[in-house]
Amino acid sequence: MYFFVDTIVDTQKSGIEHAIIRRLELFKMHNKDAKIITTNYHRTVYASLTTDGLNNDVINLFDYYQKVADVPFTPATLDTLVLPEHALLKKSVNHQYQVVLNHKVIMQITTFADTQKQIDLIRYLDDEGKTIYIDYYDIRGFLSKRDHYDTNNDWLTVEQWLDVTGQPVIENYHQINFDNKVDVTVYRLRGKDNVWYTFDGVQGYMRHFFDELNLAYNGHNAFIFDRASETAWASTHMVTPNYPIGHFHNSHVTDTDDIMHSSLNGFFTFMIKNQDHFHYMISATDTQTKDVLARWPKMRAITIPVSYVSDAQLANQVDFAKREKHTLIVAARLAPEKQQIDVVKAMVQVRKQVPDARAEFWGYPNGDYGDQVKKAIKEAHLEDVISLKGYSSTVNQEMDRVGLSVLSSRMEGFSLSILEAQSHGLPQVVNNVKYGPSDLVIDGQDGFLVENNNIDMLAAKIIAIMSDEQLQTTLSANAYTDARRYSAENVWRQWQVVTDDYENNYLK
Amino acid sequence: MHYFINYSLVDINSSIEHAALMRLKLFKSNNLAAKYITLNWDYLNPLRVKNQDLTDADVVNMYDFFANTAQFKQTPRHHLADLPLPNAWTWDNSDANQATIKEGDRVRAKVHYIPGLVETTGKIDYYDTFGKHYRTEYWDPRGFLISAELYSAQGNVLEQVLYDVNTEQPVLTRFFHVVDNQVVLYRLQLNHAGQTYTFNHENALISFFLNVYTQADDAAVLYVDRPNLAQPVLEMRQTVQKVLMVPTLHTSDPDDQVTANLNNEYYYSIYEHLRDFDAVLVATEHQAQDLRRWLGGSADDLTSTKTPIYAVSRAITHPTAPTEPKTAGKIIYAGLLNDYEALKDIVVAYSKAKKEFPHLSLVMAGYGEAYEQLKNDVAKQNIADISFPGYLQTPALAQELKTAALFLTTQKGDVQPLTLLQALSFSTPVISYAFNYGPRDIDPDQQAIVTVSPRKRSLLVKQVVHFFATSDHQAQQQAAATIAANYSPTKVLAQYQATGLLG
């Protein structure tokens, strides 16, 4: 079994989740057993997993111990809720209800939006209206978590996750920590054979989970740790035999112009310092693998693209005449490292040469960068030119409609977006940064590489493509061709280096 | 079914529990179904039952009932190795009372064994990463997790959780907060038969429990053995019979039980709610008359009070022919050791008499606040042959009473002195101060009990010296046994029958 270890697979996915999902498709395609493991608690994530069709592919740590997998539920609703004897239920505001006993509000109930009064959470109150404990319900309908409070100080004191029978299975106790603050100071988990294990922190119980899961799947499984930082200690301290693989999902250094001396990207410091522990360390591009090996020649570094282009996609070429040739797309999170504001600035120049030029930004905002982008658009008076489209899981359909793609990132690990655009036959103008753009885009053949933060150059290349239909059509045709480098067959060939080693050397 | 409602059954019981236990044995031996009900939260309850020579079915604890302990079907887990603790944990059991449990070098928990049981898990205290106690578990002597306590960051208990012993689900949670530096119970939450119940006071839970427990019993009679349990019993449904027991003097002045102020403990039950009881039982006819008069009724008229007041002995004796010889000169006092001034009279009377009769010895059996002080006095004054054996369990006390030549007491008041009557049943004569309701009610002719006016220490000395001036006490010993026979099971049962409570 291959386990892909992540924190969460939610509605809004980062490149790591996209990479994992693409990898899962590839593994299934080649009849390899693989599952995604997630470690974070999220009581509504099941809804998006259902939408993504991933319910049977994801094993979540909390679900595992709460024993919820494959159990059908009748959701807890206001109608099925058993109230304390003699208590009355009253509606207060939207999705809010109160339970009154002896003229005192003893419970406040919140229901999930868009449901038939399905219970979201219940707050239990003392006579002074202070919270005694809060019951949180999973979107699937069962009581999932109970937070206990110290009513004298309004301190959260015990967090308790319950299994589907109501039995506590994970507990976090909040006491005084070394900073003299009330915070989690001990973790408990009810594991195999109903034994309670105690841990000093999250890494401890993640490690325990990985080991129990490993044993539950007959041991000696392969674990690809896709969140090198979040699962760092756990990934290297498993006590059951396993086959660990590390993964660079971004640049491993902060300054890609000085790969030999640059400080390390904090996310990967631990993994790099503990590189001997991993059977392979995967980079998505040859350029990165080359840089990694230059600095750590003994590292078992290997290149495997984090996505692939399906055969169906390769067969589906859009007639260029049908495209909106003067509309460009930026498909990336609205985030400082993606530098969408550079595109806004470039568009001012583009509009002067190509008056009907338009731009569409697809992606969810990180922090307040979305607002910054909005502000920049307003200042440039481009509100009618640049549309902020938000996150969409079907952005690839938009790529069949528009005329080119732009990515102005400061840094990349691979850029799923570039590959996606290429496989949809889009000419591209992308920053020539590490890692990804220069591996994916062949300058002058299927698009152009431009200097980071060089607005004039960025604008010039966009203008060049938009104002030359012949060029645009040629670049598009070449993009379709170049995307074939990332066919499922080609990418799998690279995976086989790992799977062969695991199955033929390690397991035997 | 007859239900005797008590708080607890402990190792050192007061006369209230002793009286209820005697009643339980009386009822059982006469095929009257009866149960001793306890309402306290104490995981060691099952051990007490064993120590009292009772069966598990005789005693029902409220929390045990909700935890379904009677239905326990799992494999008992008594020892460290049986507990659901990780294999990687190690323990140091060099201490006979507790074990320290570690994971590597970090202390995770301390296991305290059940007192008196070898390496049997009782209480487990858990410690967090910084060595702070955050959780305590209680393991029932029968081998299962019965409850756990969660602690706040400030160190006070926040919740006590009771578990169903088979499903291991929480069934009842007691919530605490701090008010004026006191940890106070403010809420109880019970899951019972698929329904959730919220109570703000333990008495409300007790009423609920008693209703549930007696639900199917059309002939339930509940005996309130402690006056402060009157409220939860009266708040039960109407269809059970409710009996108020009066285990102490009913006024604040031991010498005036007719016109003095009511003992505060009876304000709720006698002053406010007398009519809500079906019967009131006092231990002697004398107290019954005084209480009727206190209430404005007439001494001899059962119908002169809102609820009839019956005299039913709480002592039940089993007089037996002496099986072993008395120890010459052995004096015994057995009872509470609280009233220092009164108890000093015993020591003084003994030490004076001992000067004339050097063979005398004194046993001061019992426990109480004056225990240490009395012991120190005796040591300081170098008075010979006094022993303080502490609280004696029933068989040991019986042995001491049997072999004593004289039972000496200086108490000031009691509804019926149980140990004094027990001494008589072993043919042991008594010298006592006069008090309500005691020596003169039991032995008006002073055949076995010599009565001295209260707090007349010189007279007491005189009577003790007089007693030991002769070695022939056969007549007094015989009289003692004869008087004790007035409290035989047959006679006491007849008193119960007269109340109509036995159906």
Side-chain angles (χ1 to χ4, degrees), chain B residues 262-282:
Chain B
L262 188 69
N263 179 344
N264 269 341
E265 289 209 50
Y266 296 103
Y267 185 82
Y268 178 89
S269 53
I270 291 181
Y271 187 76
E272 293 191 318
H273 290 279
L274 185 64
R275 68 166 76 238
D276 298 328
F277 287 99
D278 297 283
V280 176
L281 301 195
V282 297

Side-chain angles (χ1 to χ4, degrees), chain B residues 158-209:
Chain B
L158 277 187
E159 294 179 22
Q160 289 177 329
V161 185
L162 180 79
Y163 297 101
D164 181 292
V165 296
N166 288 312
T167 66
E168 298 180 21
Q169 298 277 1
V171 286
L172 187 138
T173 306
R174 291 151 55 96
F175 295 93
F176 297 84
H177 59 190
V178 178
V179 180
D180 297 333
N181 292 321
Q182 298 285 318
V183 179
V184 178
L185 174 73
Y186 70 89
R187 171 98 29 115
L188 300 103
Q189 192 169 299
L190 172 72
N191 302 316
H192 180 73
Q195 171 74 45
T196 306
Y197 301 88
T198 300
F199 306 107
N200 287 338
H201 195 279
E202 195 154 27
N203 273 352
L205 174 70
I206 293 173
S207 295
F208 176 85
F209 159 70

Side-chain angles (χ1 to χ4, degrees), chain A residues 113-321:
Chain A
D114 311 321
T115 63
Q116 292 298 313
K117 297 179 188 172
Q118 191 182 332
I119 296 170
D120 176 359
L121 62 93
I122 305 179
R123 188 182 289 272
Y124 291 81
L125 306 172
D126 72 7
D127 285 353
E128 291 165 25
K130 289 184 172 172
T131 301
I132 306 172
Y133 64 92
I134 305 175
D135 278 349
Y136 295 96
Y137 286 76
D138 189 281
I139 190 82
R140 284 163 284 189
F142 59 92
L143 173 58
S144 174
K145 184 175 185 242
R146 176 169 290 174
D147 284 355
H148 303 248
Y149 285 80
D150 171 352
T151 55
N152 284 107
N153 302 291
D154 298 328
W155 285 336
L156 173 60
T157 302
V158 184
E159 293 174 86
Q160 210 168 39
W161 285 265
L162 312 169
D163 73 9
V164 288
T165 70
Q167 179 71 44
V169 287
I170 296 177
E171 294 180 336
N172 291 356
Y173 287 80
H174 295 239
Q175 295 282 340
I176 311 275
N177 71 5
F178 52 80
D179 285 330
N180 215 21
K181 301 248 166 60
V182 177
D183 204 344
V184 190
T185 61
V186 69
Y187 297 72
R188 278 158 49 91
L189 180 153
R190 199 180 205 218
K192 203 165 164 273
D193 301 327
N194 292 329
V195 169
W196 277 100
Y197 295 86
T198 303
F199 309 101
D200 295 334
V202 178
Q203 293 292 328
Y205 75 65
M206 286 199 300
R207 184 215 60 121
H208 186 87
F209 168 56
F210 298 155
D211 276 323
E212 282 205 355
L213 200 62
N214 192 25
L215 292 179
Y217 284 84
N218 302 318
H220 300 281
N221 295 292
F223 287 76
I224 301 173
F225 292 100
D226 283 296
R227 292 277 178 181
S229 168
E230 287 87 340
T231 59
W233 185 90
S235 69
T236 51
H237 287 79
M238 287 176 65
V239 295
T240 54
N242 70 98
Y243 184 92
I245 298 162
H247 205 303
F248 293 111
H249 275 287
N250 208 324
S251 170
H252 58 288
V253 287
T254 54
D255 179 4
T256 47
D257 293 332
D258 184 9
I259 54 153
M260 297 308 285
H261 310 98
S262 165
S263 61
L264 303 178
N265 179 343
F267 284 109
F268 303 114
T269 308
F270 182 90
M271 196 170 82
I272 291 168
K273 285 171 80 85
N274 292 278
Q275 54 182 273
D276 291 350
H277 183 79
F278 298 92
H279 287 261
Y280 282 102
M281 302 274 266
I282 300 172
S283 298
T285 64
D286 282 334
T287 310
Q288 187 172 10
T289 301
K290 204 168 90 228
D291 286 358
V292 163
L293 285 172
R295 191 155 164 182
W296 300 282
K298 290 180 183 166
M299 189 186 283
R300 294 191 72 185
I302 185 173
T303 307
I304 306 178
V306 286
S307 189
Y308 71 95
V309 182
S310 69
D311 293 348
Q313 178 57 39
L314 288 172
N316 173 34
Q317 299 196 3
V318 178
D319 177 3
F320 203 84

Side-chain angles (χ1 to χ4, degrees), chain A residues 254-452:
Chain A
T254 54
D255 179 4
T256 47
D257 293 332
D258 184 9
I259 54 153
M260 297 308 285
H261 310 98
S262 165
S263 61
L264 303 178
N265 179 343
F267 284 109
F268 303 114
T269 308
F270 182 90
M271 196 170 82
I272 291 168
K273 285 171 80 85
N274 292 278
Q275 54 182 273
D276 291 350
H277 183 79
F278 298 92
H279 287 261
Y280 282 102
M281 302 274 266
I282 300 172
S283 298
T285 64
D286 282 334
T287 310
Q288 187 172 10
T289 301
K290 204 168 90 228
D291 286 358
V292 163
L293 285 172
R295 191 155 164 182
W296 300 282
K298 290 180 183 166
M299 189 186 283
R300 294 191 72 185
I302 185 173
T303 307
I304 306 178
V306 286
S307 189
Y308 71 95
V309 182
S310 69
D311 293 348
Q313 178 57 39
L314 288 172
N316 173 34
Q317 299 196 3
V318 178
D319 177 3
F320 203 84
K322 290 180 181 162
R323 290 181 179 271
E324 298 171 18
K325 297 179 191 65
H326 292 175
T327 300
L328 68 82
I329 189 168
V330 179
R333 281 176 293 120
L334 295 177
E337 66 271 23
K338 303 291 180 189
Q339 305 187 127
Q340 277 93 343
I341 291 174
D342 280 7
V343 184
V344 175
K345 290 175 184 162
M347 280 304 284
V348 176
Q349 298 183 33
V350 172
R351 285 284 286 186
K352 287 177 187 154
Q353 304 293 321
V354 188
D356 65 341
R358 311 185 73 82
E360 293 177 4
F361 292 1
W362 292 83
Y364 60 87
N366 273 175
D368 67 349
Y369 192 74
D371 292 335
Q372 291 179 38
V373 172
K374 230 180 250 176
K375 194 170 154 230
I377 293 171
K378 201 178 169 198
E379 281 168 6
H381 307 292
L382 292 177
E383 292 99 322
D384 298 334
V385 174
I386 303 175
S387 347
L388 297 177
K389 299 286 199 178
Y391 180 84
S392 166
S393 57
T394 54
V395 72
N396 51 356
Q397 289 169 14
E398 315 302 332
M399 288 181 170
D400 282 340
R401 171 176 56 81
V402 298
L404 72 156
S405 173
V406 173
L407 194 71
S408 51
S409 299
R410 184 169 65 224
M411 62 195 285
E412 281 291 339
F414 175 76
S415 185
L416 292 170
S417 172
I418 294 176
L419 179 60
E420 193 74 20
Q422 193 166 72
S423 70
H424 284 264
L426 283 179
Q428 303 194 61
V429 182
V430 299
N431 276 355
N432 188 10
V433 294
K434 285 176 176 174
Y435 291 96
S438 65
D439 292 76
L440 288 157
V441 173
I442 303 173
D443 194 30
Q445 179 170 306
D446 51 31
F448 297 108
L449 295 166
V450 299
E451 208 177 286
N452 183 27

Side-chain angles (χ1 to χ4, degrees), chain A residues 461-495:
Chain A
K461 292 301 181 190
I462 295 171
I463 293 164
I465 295 171
M466 284 189 175
S467 51
D468 183 345
E469 199 173 328
Q470 182 55 45
L471 173 66
Q472 197 172 12
T473 312
T474 307
L475 292 173
S476 173
N478 291 343
Y480 281 124
T481 309
D482 293 344
R484 290 185 180 279
R485 294 172 297 164
Y486 296 92
S487 67
E489 193 189 341
N490 285 338
V491 174
W492 185 249
R493 203 170 293 132
Q494 283 162 277
W495 267 114

Side-chain angles (χ1 to χ4, degrees), chain B residues 239-310:
Chain B
T239 51
V240 297
Q241 290 199 77
K242 297 159 187 170
V243 180
L244 178 68
M245 308 303 287
V246 181
T248 57
L249 298 179
H250 54 268
T251 76
S252 54
D253 179 357
D255 299 327
D256 177 3
Q257 293 291 302
V258 177
T259 61
N261 284 339
L262 188 69
N263 179 344
N264 269 341
E265 289 209 50
Y266 296 103
Y267 185 82
Y268 178 89
S269 53
I270 291 181
Y271 187 76
E272 293 191 318
H273 290 279
L274 185 64
R275 68 166 76 238
D276 298 328
F277 287 99
D278 297 283
V280 176
L281 301 195
V282 297
T284 63
E285 184 54 34
H286 189 174
Q287 189 179 9
Q289 291 179 0
D290 285 355
L291 183 53
R292 286 182 202 125
R293 287 170 66 198
W294 190 94
L295 287 164
S298 70
D300 296 321
D301 186 358
L302 256 182
T303 62
S304 65
T305 51
K306 288 171 189 160
T307 293
I309 298 164
Y310 298 98

